[in-house]
Amino acid sequence: MSVLDARALGRATLARQLLLDRADAPVLDTVAHLGGLQAQEPQEPFVGLWSRLRGFQPVALCDLLTGRRVVRTHLMRRTVHLVTAEDALAWRPRHDAMLRGRVLGTYRRELEGVDLAELAAAGRAVMSDGEPRSMGDLARALADRWPEPGPRALGEMLVAALIPMVQLPPRGLWRTRAGVRNAPFTAWLGRDADPPAPPGTDPVGETLVRRYLAAFGPAASADLRAWCGLAGLPAAVAAVRGELVAFRDERGRELLDLPEAPRPDPGTPAPVRFLPAFDNVILGYQDRSRIIDDEHRGLSVTGARVVLVDGRVSATWAVEDGAVSVAPLRRLSRADRAEVAEEGRALAAFLSDGDGDRFRVGAAPP
């Protein structure tokens, strides 16, 4: 069984994530290929798509959101993701138990004794008037019936777990600040999520395995679990194993992959790329060493925006006083700094809709 080192895995990841070379692909197809984009910070997916697509225009994503072909919803790991409407409808039932479990993990004491089926039915009844509501508004509508848990626990359980919901535009539109208004799938997409699979079958789980490997492979089962938050996928992995090829990483873990998926030569040059907060390419793995050093792993969960240099996290970036400002995590060569500056100015122009390209880079740490 071939052993793939961190550089080989990193290049494969960059290729799958469209970060080795920007793609000429429709936005809808890209969101589907990536298995969605992490989107709890509403503006971040625009940067993620800009870094992956040649000539990306924000209006293309806005049109998909207002046209109800892409939605913002709680899904993988109980975080808000930007996914195609088709994937949201198909994947949501497979995530239901995980979503409930994660909310209970936070609010078990507050929700003790609450009949969740009864709560879901009551929440659906309130939402049946077709009016979008914030999480707080929905919880307050039921507070007389369930006063003990408090609005936060009730709202989280209803919106993130019990009722498949969409966060409606203008939330998530380009350069727009808007609060969260939720509507059920049935109201926004015209139908509810697909019914659960018959007992003993897991077609959605098998699809998730294939789709994950297409966008993130080669990867271990633990990486798949870290991406989606689902613990019960061993049967799905076993069901599709005959379609897959296997490798090992330098730690000895078995890595699975699709046979025809790209695995570039480790020496393939990797361009500088600016990534948004909570980008897929970092959060999609349990072992993130293929792209980020252990000493910087904490950046992946604090919402830091990072810069890839030679395929690895080498700096953070932010917008300060209208300029893209880069803080290196290590010493960068003169050529690296020049490439970071070129890409940073292009990002500044994108973020300002062409009004400017102000950029600065700080000194490397000692």
Side-chain angles (χ1 to χ4, degrees):
M1 192 180 295
S2 299
V3 175
L4 300 177
D5 62 16
R7 189 175 177 89
L9 291 173
R11 291 303 188 265
T13 294
L14 295 177
R16 312 293 173 90
Q17 288 285 313
L18 311 181
L19 293 167
L20 204 55
D21 186 24
R22 282 184 168 94
D24 291 308
V27 174
L28 183 67
D29 293 351
T30 301
V31 174
H33 166 72
L34 296 172
L37 290 89
Q38 187 110 353
Q40 67 263 47
E41 297 293 337
Q43 295 298 298
E44 301 302 304
F46 290 96
V47 175
L49 290 168
W50 176 83
S51 288
R52 290 170 164 91
L53 295 178
R54 196 169 288 111
F56 170 69
Q57 296 295 322
V59 66
L61 178 56
C62 293
D63 286 348
L64 291 172
L65 283 162
T66 58
R68 310 187 187 201
R69 302 185 69 193
V70 164
V71 297
R72 294 170 48 83
T73 187
H74 288 88
L75 202 60
M76 283 76 77
R77 305 185 305 280
R78 196 195 137 204
T79 53
V80 176
H81 274 72
L82 191 75
V83 295
T84 68
E86 182 179 346
D87 284 345
L89 291 163
W91 293 1
R92 175 54 197 258
R94 188 62 180 82
H95 290 75
D96 278 351
M98 178 272 294
L99 293 170
R100 288 194 300 272
R102 293 209 171 192
V103 176
L104 285 174
T106 303
Y107 299 107
R108 188 173 302 279
R109 181 179 58 81
E110 292 87 341
L111 293 167
E112 185 176 1
V114 174
D115 185 312
L116 297 184
E118 186 180 346
L119 178 62
R124 287 181 182 273
V126 171
M127 298 300 296
S128 66
D129 63 5
E131 289 297 318
R133 287 176 172 82
S134 70
M135 182 184 296
D137 288 341
L138 177 56
R140 282 187 288 272
L142 299 171
D144 288 346
R145 190 167 173 183
W146 286 280
E148 292 83 5
R152 186 70 189 185
L154 281 182
E156 287 273 1
M157 179 55 79
L158 285 162
V159 171
L162 294 182
I163 306 173
M165 294 273 205
V166 171
Q167 293 186 357
L168 302 189
R171 180 78 168 176
L173 299 185
W174 177 238
R175 301 183 74 179
T176 299
R177 297 175 67 89
V180 177
R181 298 179 309 131
N182 302 287
F185 281 15
T186 48
W188 186 248
L189 299 178
R191 66 181 180 89
D192 209 344
D194 293 348
T201 68
D202 191 9
V204 174
E206 293 169 22
T207 295
L208 288 170
V209 173
R210 297 186 188 99
R211 295 277 295 275
Y212 174 76
L213 293 176
F216 294 89
S221 294
D223 297 318
L224 168 65
R225 185 166 59 251
W227 168 69
C228 64
L230 300 175
L233 286 177
V237 172
V240 303
R241 181 177 283 273
E243 308 170 15
L244 308 177
V245 292
F247 303 92
R248 296 236 177 245
D249 65 13
E250 293 176 297
R251 294 168 48 192
R253 300 189 313 160
E254 182 185 50
L255 308 177
L256 300 175
D257 204 7
L258 302 173
E260 304 303 321
R263 289 179 289 275
D265 185 285
T268 303
V272 166
R273 290 290 183 259
F274 282 68
L275 299 183
F278 308 112
D279 192 84
N280 297 27
V281 77
I282 296 176
L283 294 188
Y285 301 96
Q286 185 272 330
D287 180 0
R288 298 166 184 167
S289 61
R290 67 180 67 194
I291 200 162
I292 187 169
D293 294 341
D294 286 343
E295 64 184 295
H296 303 310
R297 182 184 171 97
L299 296 173
S300 61
V301 295
T302 60
R305 296 155 158 176
V306 300
V307 184
L308 301 183
V309 179
D310 193 28
R312 299 194 65 78
V313 172
S314 301
T316 62
W317 70 274
V319 177
E320 299 173 351
D321 300 323
V324 170
S325 179
V326 170
L329 297 171
R330 62 173 177 82
R331 184 176 297 277
L332 302 177
S333 70
R334 181 174 297 180
D336 288 340
R337 290 174 73 90
E339 190 179 355
V340 168
E342 181 181 7
E343 187 76 356
R345 291 191 180 96
L347 174 60
F350 170 75
L351 293 174
S352 67
D353 285 333
D355 286 344
D357 63 352
R358 294 174 57 206
F359 169 85
R360 57 176 173 264
V361 58

